Amino acid sequence: MSEPAFQRRELGDVIPVPADVRPDPAADFTIDEGTAIRTAPGSAAARRVGEHLAALLRPATGYALPVDEETGTIALLLDGDGLSDGGFADGDEGYRLEISAAGVTVRAAAPAGLFAAVQTLRQLLPAAIDAPGPQSGDWVLPGGRIVDRPRFGYRGVMLDIARHFFTADEIKSYIDSLVQFKINHLHLHLTDDQGWRLEIDGWPRLTEVSGGAGTGVDGAGPGYLTRAGYADLVAYAAERFVTIVPEIDMPGHVNAAQVAYPELTADGVAVAVRTDIEVGYSSLAAGKEETYAFIEDVVREVAALTPGPYLHIGGDEAQATTADDYRTFIQRVLPLVAKYGKRVVGWHEMAGMELPETAIPQFWAVAATDDGTARAAANGSKVIMSPADRAYLDMKYTAASPLGLDWAGLIDVEQAYGWDPADRLPGVGEENVLGVEAPLWSETLRTLTDVRTMTFPRLPAVAEIGWSPRATHDWASFRRRLAAFAPRWRNQGIAFHPSPEVPWVG
Ligand code: TNX
C-alpha cells in the first residue's frame, strides 16, 4: 500500500492513541504562510513549547510561523478552567485539542500538556511534515476535538551506555525520537562491569581508566559523560519534559569501578578489565567502610547533578554477593540515597529486602510471579513494569535478527504490544503501577542506527500501553496506525526494523 506524502490524516491516527477523539471532518484546518502560533500570556515555558512546535513545522512548510503572545491561529494556552469537562484529575500532561476551520486551540493545565499536544499535532499532519526541507502540498489538520491524558505518569526508556558508549549528541537525538511517543523518562545505565560513563569528582580514575580506550564490549571505543556534559543533557531532556533517571549499578556489575580502584574489591587486589558479556561475577564488599564512603561520594554527586526525583541503584544479578551481604548492602545504601533527597529505584531483586514505601522496584523478569515485588506493592511501593519478554528492546525480533540477545525470547511488535502492566504480576494492580519502561541493553549495539533499529517499531507499542486507556488497546488498530510511521521515520532519518506484522505504508 502506498500513501502520498500529503494524504489527509484521520483525527485518531496517533500513537499513543488519545483517550477521547471526536472527529469533525467538516472542520479541517490548513496551515499556510499566514499561520502564527500564540502562546499563553506570561508563560516562558509555554513560549518554549510554541517555539518547539514552530521549529518542527518550519523546515518542511518553509513558513515563518512566528510565535508570540498576541496573535495566531494556533493557540497553546495554559487554561485549567477550560478543562473541567475533560476530567483532568491528575497529571500535568493532559491536554484538550480543538481543530476547526478557523484555527487550532490547545488547552492544558501545565506546559507538559502543551508539549504532549504538540506531539499529537505533529502526527496529525501529513508525513511530509517530517521532511528535512521544503515540500509543497496542503498542510491539513483533521477537524474535531481530542481530550487526552496518560494512564500512567511514568513512561520510560532505558539506554545502557556502559556496555557501549553513546555520546551526548547521540542521546539527545534519541530523546528527540522518543518524545514523539510521549515518553517522559530516560533511564541511563551509566555503569557496569565493562565501563564507567559518568565523571565523579574525587574519583577521576573511574572515567580516566574505565571510560577510556577499549572499555566497550569486545574492546570497543572509549567514552564517558563529563559532569558538564551530563548536566547539559539533563537540561536538554528537561526542555522536552523528559526526566533523566541515572543508574549506578551496585553491588554487582561493578568490575569497571574495581579496575579503577582496587580498594573497592574485598581483598584489595586489582582485577582485570572485562569486555565480555558475562554477568554476576563482580561485587562491592558489603563489610568494608571504604565501600560506603565511595558510594556516598557517588550518590551525593549524582544527586546534585540530577534535578529529577529518582536515583536508580541497580541491585540486579548480584550472584557474587551473599544474601546476607546483599541485605547489609541495600540497608546501608537506601538511607544514603534518601540523605541526598532522592527516591530509590532498583531492579526488582531489591524488593527481596525490606523497603520503605517510597522505594520503586522495577520488575524485569520473565517469571509470572514475584513475591518481593508483590510484597513491596502491598507495603505501598509503586512499581515500574519492564517484563523482559515484552518490554526489552534488546531482544532479537526474530532468530535472524543480526542485533540483540534472545534470553527472554524473540519479541516482535505484537508481542511488545500484547500485555497489560496492571495484570502482569499477581499483587501488582493498576494502583500499584507507576508506569512502564522499555530497557535497551547495549551489549550488541555499537551505533545510534543499531539503537534505533532495536527501538523502532517496538517502543511505540510500549508507549501506547503506558499512555492510552486500557479499553483502547487494540492490535489491529495499533498495527494500522504504526504502518503510517514508515515514511515519517524515513523523512527523519530514523532507522527501524520493518516488522512483517505491520502493513507498512510507502
Ligand atoms: C540482564 S535485566 C541484565 C543486564 C543485561 C541484560 C541483557 C537486568 C536488570 N540485568 O545486565 O544487559 O540482561 O538483556
Side-chain angles (χ1 to χ4, degrees):
M1 191 169 75
S2 81
E3 174 182 274
F6 277 92
Q7 183 170 315
R8 178 188 178 279
R9 313 270 303 140
E10 297 297 329
L11 191 66
D13 283 357
V14 173
I15 295 178
V17 71
D20 184 33
V21 180
R22 310 259 167 103
D24 180 358
D28 288 0
F29 175 72
T30 302
I31 296 176
D32 61 26
E33 55 283 331
T35 302
I37 298 170
R38 175 165 63 99
T39 61
S43 169
R47 180 69 167 255
R48 279 198 300 275
V49 177
E51 291 291 354
H52 183 83
L53 174 61
L56 289 176
L57 304 184
R58 282 177 189 136
T61 63
Y63 302 150
L65 293 158
V67 182
D68 67 37
E69 295 179 4
E70 275 96 50
T71 54
T73 44
I74 299 180
L76 304 182
L77 305 177
L78 290 172
D79 179 2
D81 297 346
L83 298 175
S84 44
D85 63 331
F88 291 96
D90 55 352
D92 292 333
E93 296 176 296
Y95 65 91
R96 180 186 175 109
L97 166 63
E98 278 161 334
I99 300 173
S100 74
V104 174
T105 305
V106 177
R107 295 175 198 278
L114 298 179
F115 188 78
V118 161
Q119 307 314 317
T120 298
L121 275 174
R122 180 180 192 175
Q123 292 187 25
L124 290 175
L125 282 161
I129 199 64
D130 289 328
Q135 309 288 306
S136 45
D138 291 333
W139 302 106
V140 175
L141 282 164
R145 193 201 81 179
I146 287 175
V147 180
D148 200 11
R149 61 175 175 281
R151 177 180 177 195
F152 298 114
Y154 187 111
R155 301 162 320 273
V157 168
M158 187 208 79
L159 182 64
D160 171 6
I161 65 169
R163 270 57 175 270
H164 281 112
F165 181 68
F166 299 94
T167 65
D169 282 346
E170 288 173 326
I171 299 169
K172 288 178 181 178
S173 166
Y174 191 50
I175 289 172
D176 287 339
S177 64
L178 299 176
V179 295
Q180 296 180 43
F181 298 97
K182 301 187 172 75
I183 291 300
N184 64 357
H185 288 78
L186 178 65
H187 165 184
L188 290 176
H189 185 75
L190 294 164
T191 67
D192 213 298
D193 289 316
Q194 297 85 350
W196 184 287
R197 310 295 179 193
L198 177 65
E199 189 182 33
I200 301 290
D201 211 23
W203 298 83
R205 288 175 55 83
L206 289 171
T207 42
E208 284 169 17
V209 174
S210 291
T215 55
V217 166
D218 293 340
Y224 63 89
L225 297 170
T226 62
R227 296 153 50 82
Y230 177 84
D232 175 64
L233 185 60
V234 167
Y236 184 92
E239 273 173 36
R240 288 150 184 80
F241 301 91
V242 170
T243 300
I244 298 291
V245 181
E247 179 186 351
I248 305 294
D249 203 349
M250 54 182 126
H253 293 275
V254 294
N255 193 70
Q258 294 175 327
V259 167
Y261 291 98
E263 62 264 41
L264 296 175
T265 63
D267 55 11
V269 176
V271 295
V273 173
R274 293 279 297 259
T275 60
D276 58 275
I277 67 170
E278 285 304 304
V279 296
Y281 58 82
S282 63
S283 179
L284 290 171
K288 271 175 112 172
E289 281 312 305
E290 291 95 321
T291 297
Y292 304 105
F294 167 69
I295 292 171
E296 180 155 5
D297 283 352
V298 172
V299 166
R300 185 195 317 111
E301 178 124 351
V302 174
L305 286 170
T306 303
Y310 307 119
L311 200 155
H312 200 304
I313 62 168
D316 58 315
E317 299 175 320
Q319 285 95 294
T321 314
T322 65
D324 279 352
D325 280 356
Y326 188 85
R327 180 177 306 276
T328 302
F329 182 86
I330 295 291
Q331 297 308 342
R332 287 286 300 265
V333 172
L334 288 171
L336 280 180
V337 177
K339 177 174 173 185
Y340 294 101
K342 298 299 171 190
R343 235 174 121 174
V344 163
V345 187
W347 300 108
H348 70 264
E349 288 98 318
M350 177 186 78
M353 310 293 109
E354 293 295 303
L355 294 177
E357 64 179 59
T358 52
I360 299 165
Q362 179 170 9
F363 176 75
W364 64 274
V366 174
T369 61
D370 187 65
D371 292 346
T373 305
R375 196 159 30 82
N379 185 47
S381 278
K382 298 283 187 190
V383 177
I384 296 172
M385 294 298 292
S386 303
D389 56 337
R390 302 287 189 172
Y392 265 37
L393 298 175
D394 66 313
M395 291 300 116
K396 289 177 180 290
Y397 289 93
T398 70
S401 294
L403 303 171
L405 306 174
D406 61 5
W407 65 264
L410 302 171
I411 304 180
D412 213 327
V413 212
E414 187 171 5
Q415 172 78 5
Y417 189 74
W419 63 288
D420 193 82
D423 67 13
R424 174 61 180 77
L425 267 189
V428 181
E430 185 90 15
E431 67 286 1
N432 310 116
V433 175
L434 185 66
V436 296
E437 184 176 291
L440 182 50
W441 301 97
S442 65
E443 287 94 330
T444 65
L445 314 178
R446 294 213 171 183
T447 66
L448 187 58
T449 298
D450 292 349
V451 164
R452 287 166 161 165
T453 304
M454 299 308 272
T455 302
F456 301 106
R458 291 180 289 197
L459 183 265
V462 179
E464 177 152 311
I465 286 168
W467 175 284
S468 306
R470 181 172 182 159
T472 65
H473 296 181
D474 176 59
W475 165 244
S477 160
F478 177 75
R479 180 171 94 120
R480 188 184 51 72
R481 286 177 283 116
L482 186 60
F485 279 86
R488 308 186 91 88
W489 284 330
R490 276 189 213 110
N491 278 339
Q492 293 183 42
I494 292 181
F496 64 98
H497 172 72
S499 301
E501 305 163 283
V502 180
W504 297 106
V505 159

